[in-house]
Amino acid sequence: MTKSLRSAGAFALMLAAPVVVSLQGCTDLSETPSSALTPENFPRNAEEVLGALAGVYAQLRATEWAYYNLSEVSSDEIIVPTRGQDWFDNGRWLELHRQSWAANTPAGLEDIGAAWSDAFTGIARANLVIAALDNLDVANEATILAELRLLRAFFYYQLLDLFGGVPIVTDTKIEARPRAPRAELFDFIESELLAARNDLPPSWPASSHGRMTRGAADAILANMYLNAGVFTKDDGIDPTGYNSCSTVQIRGASACQRAVDFADSIINSGVYSLAADFSSNFSATNASSPENILVVKHVNQDGFGLNFVMRALHYNQLTPAPWNGFATIAETYNAFDPDDQRRRVFLVGQQYNLDALARGDTVPVTDRTGAPLVFTVTINNETAATEGEGARPYKFPVDPDHVAQENGNDFVYFRLAEIHLIKAEALNEMGAPNATALTLVNNLRARVFNPDEPVACTDLASCRTMILNERLFELAFEAKRRQDLIRHGKFTQPWSFKPAGPARNVLMPIPQSQLDAN
């Protein structure tokens, strides 16, 4: 670990921007946060409380930039090559992929700093509304408070994932805060989720789609327990070996057993089921998917849509022009079986106008020189890539009714397929090979292979590898890969355009701006 990660004693929580939330909506999670909320201007009634709650939910959309990019571009799933004058940005994108960041480098100051600020902004918003509830008597107060505690816990979960220990703030004071060790932050998040889940409903009506549920709390808990071999440590994370949940005891049971218990809570709840069509979990109509547990709500309106397609698609594939940035390295694309329907999350070969495809027309497109636009699997030089080099991530496809760059696809942070994989991996750590674990994995494969191609494994190591591979195939581009590689001791190993990295890279450095503020 770096010295700043291990020994920093007290960090100041400094909010550089005003906390902004809406005081006018009800449960419309896609509304524009429009009013400044301060301790002197708390919500005065139930309607304003719900509007302020919507402002906390709105901050989830911010996590789809810095947190998402750190989770993906630092892994072997996404690279952002420099294409002529495009996407150099002081070298920060290649710095992320190469894992050559530091607290004061372009990636550290921009991307890592933004992830810190985005999460703490969400925490500050939640703290302000929680404080306001102390002075109000509103209907469904217990449920609203539980939503706020879960949202705050989720923002802390992202900080736990990226930075390890950080200050724990549960009030509205702006003052220096001591850094909590990672294990203490883990315990805090766990206690918040356990307390909140009891006051959350199993589900919401369609009109409140996107609000937090008991299943969302259980999904975060199951994930945390699976990662307990990493998430409870500032030091001692094995950068080259598997960090097992079996090595951590939580309230008298192994963290692996806890992961199984909360996975079962979701699987046996009767609320969720695997979607028959894998791709339906990510389409513009994925709000109706029976599989999705914790989503960030989007609508195809200005400022509220998902823009993942803009990051990856070529300038000529849509109107308005996408940004032609994100791509995939060849070994990741080639890891997918050609017969696996999940390989369709990539675009390769001759490309077409996607607006026309939505209308049923096949219109080939050219690059900016007029040559046919062909996405290649390989990238020859990440510092001087052509317009068409690199397979493109396309898991969340274009909304046929998109408005400018705004697509109505919800972004999925947790869905039932991952819960099956969490349970399978935890069971494997408790005794491999495990027949139930294999069944859970092969149930997922059954819906994407025709004819079926089940997998098998014979010992602990081969089962670990098999499950990690299945997590790649099933969960690619869902902000899981960095976390998975760290748990499996593979994050610092070399891959295309990235050398082997130091052990300290399993945690992000505290941004220099935060160190300077203290």
Side-chain angles (χ1 to χ4, degrees):
M1 309 299 167
T2 63
K3 181 178 179 182
S4 63
L5 287 169
R6 286 204 311 253
S7 60
F11 294 108
L13 176 61
M14 305 299 293
L15 300 180
V19 178
V20 178
V21 298
S22 170
L23 297 179
Q24 299 175 3
C26 195
T27 55
D28 181 0
L29 307 186
S30 62
E31 64 179 284
T32 305
S34 58
S35 302
L37 178 64
T38 69
E40 292 74 33
N41 183 27
F42 283 150
R44 296 159 296 181
N45 53 51
E47 182 180 3
E48 291 183 350
V49 165
L50 289 173
L53 172 63
V56 185
Y57 275 104
Q59 187 61 16
L60 289 174
R61 286 195 292 271
T63 68
E64 295 167 354
W65 182 251
Y67 176 81
Y68 180 87
N69 290 347
L70 293 181
S71 299
E72 290 289 350
V73 183
S74 71
S75 80
D76 57 357
E77 283 190 353
I78 289 180
I79 184 171
V80 187
T82 304
R83 304 180 191 274
Q85 299 301 310
D86 296 338
W87 290 98
F88 176 66
D89 294 341
N90 294 317
R92 57 185 255 244
W93 297 106
L94 292 178
E95 186 178 289
L96 281 180
H97 188 75
R98 294 166 176 165
Q99 297 179 11
S100 59
W101 57 69
N104 59 354
T105 62
L109 295 171
E110 179 76 21
D111 306 281
I112 299 173
W116 175 284
S117 298
D118 289 342
F120 269 119
T121 297
I123 290 162
R125 290 185 181 185
N127 284 340
L128 287 165
V129 186
I130 290 171
L133 285 174
D134 287 341
N135 302 313
L136 292 172
D137 184 14
V138 299
N140 302 316
E141 182 173 339
T143 299
I144 294 170
L145 179 60
E147 289 179 82
L148 289 163
R149 293 177 75 175
L150 196 158
L151 284 161
R152 182 175 65 185
F154 184 65
F155 291 122
Y156 269 122
Y157 160 84
Q158 293 192 339
L159 292 167
L160 176 79
D161 179 22
L162 294 178
F163 299 104
V166 302
I168 298 174
V169 185
T170 58
D171 57 40
T172 60
K173 299 175 184 176
I174 298 177
E175 60 186 18
R177 309 279 184 169
R179 173 190 176 274
R182 200 177 200 183
E184 182 180 335
L185 180 58
F186 182 100
D187 291 344
F188 170 75
I189 298 169
E190 180 198 31
S191 65
E192 288 292 288
L193 293 170
L194 290 173
R197 70 180 300 278
N198 296 322
D199 289 317
L200 289 166
S203 62
W204 291 92
S207 59
S208 293
H209 166 71
R211 294 179 74 172
M212 293 297 179
T213 61
R214 191 173 305 155
D218 290 350
I220 302 170
L221 284 164
N223 174 279
M224 286 178 57
Y225 294 138
L226 182 67
N227 285 285
V230 174
F231 280 3
T232 58
K233 300 174 182 178
D234 288 301
D235 292 300
I237 300 168
D238 188 345
T240 59
Y242 187 79
N243 295 272
S244 178
C245 52
S246 65
T247 64
V248 180
Q249 291 289 306
I250 296 177
R251 299 188 315 283
S254 78
C256 292
Q257 183 61 57
R258 296 295 183 197
V260 171
D261 292 343
F262 281 88
D264 279 341
S265 177
I266 295 169
I267 293 168
N268 299 328
S269 68
V271 175
Y272 307 100
S273 59
L274 292 176
D277 178 7
F278 167 78
S279 63
S280 67
N281 296 303
F282 318 106
S283 70
T285 58
N286 67 343
S288 61
S289 169
E291 186 169 329
N292 294 341
I293 300 170
L294 195 166
V295 303
V296 183
K297 181 178 177 180
H298 289 282
V299 292
N300 54 350
Q301 298 176 14
D302 187 26
F304 305 129
L306 187 69
N307 68 11
F308 284 5
V309 295
M310 304 299 286
R311 304 178 199 184
L313 296 180
H314 185 271
Y315 320 102
N316 294 343
Q317 286 185 279
L318 281 177
T319 302
W323 311 329
N324 201 36
F326 289 14
T328 300
I329 60 175
E331 55 255 52
T332 297
Y333 174 80
N334 288 330
F336 284 69
D337 188 318
D339 294 329
D340 189 339
Q341 294 178 26
R342 295 172 296 191
R343 200 185 198 189
R344 298 173 187 171
V345 301
F346 300 99
L347 293 180
V348 294
Q350 173 65 51
Q351 294 305 299
Y352 301 90
N353 181 288
L354 294 172
D355 284 324
L357 275 180
R359 299 189 301 267
D361 299 327
T362 303
V363 180
V365 294
T366 61
D367 64 21
R368 291 186 293 186
T369 71
L373 176 64
V374 176
F375 288 159
T376 64
V377 172
T378 59
I379 299 171
N380 292 320
N381 184 343
E382 80 280 22
T383 66
T386 66
E387 292 180 28
E389 285 187 301
R392 305 306 167 88
Y394 192 59
K395 194 166 201 173
F396 294 84
V398 170
D399 180 352
D401 298 316
H402 71 94
V403 175
Q405 67 179 23
E406 313 293 346
N407 295 267
N409 321 54
D410 290 341
F411 176 64
V412 187
Y413 267 122
F414 286 102
R415 57 189 177 88
L416 186 61
E418 183 182 3
I419 303 306
H420 283 220
L421 290 168
I422 287 174
K423 181 178 178 180
E425 188 170 339
L427 286 173
N428 186 63
E429 293 306 305
M430 295 163 66
N434 184 285
T436 301
L438 283 171
T439 298
L440 288 165
V441 171
N442 284 320
N443 284 344
L444 299 181
R445 292 177 62 86
R447 68 173 173 176
V448 293
F449 282 95
N450 186 16
D452 195 9
E453 293 187 18
V455 292
C457 55
T458 57
D459 54 31
L460 181 62
S462 65
C463 291
R464 281 175 176 167
T465 299
M466 179 272 292
I467 293 172
L468 177 62
N469 289 339
E470 286 302 314
R471 286 187 65 90
L472 168 64
F473 306 146
E474 183 71 29
L475 304 173
F477 314 125
E478 295 181 47
K480 306 293 180 180
R481 187 62 171 171
R482 171 188 169 273
Q483 190 180 94
D484 289 349
L485 292 175
I486 290 173
R487 185 174 67 257
H488 282 261
K490 298 181 181 297
F491 186 64
T492 59
Q493 71 180 17
W495 52 69
S496 284
F497 314 116
K498 172 195 171 292
R504 69 185 185 189
N505 284 357
V506 298
L507 286 177
M508 296 289 177
I510 303 299
Q512 188 64 47
S513 57
Q514 299 300 324
L515 297 174
D516 293 343
N518 190 12

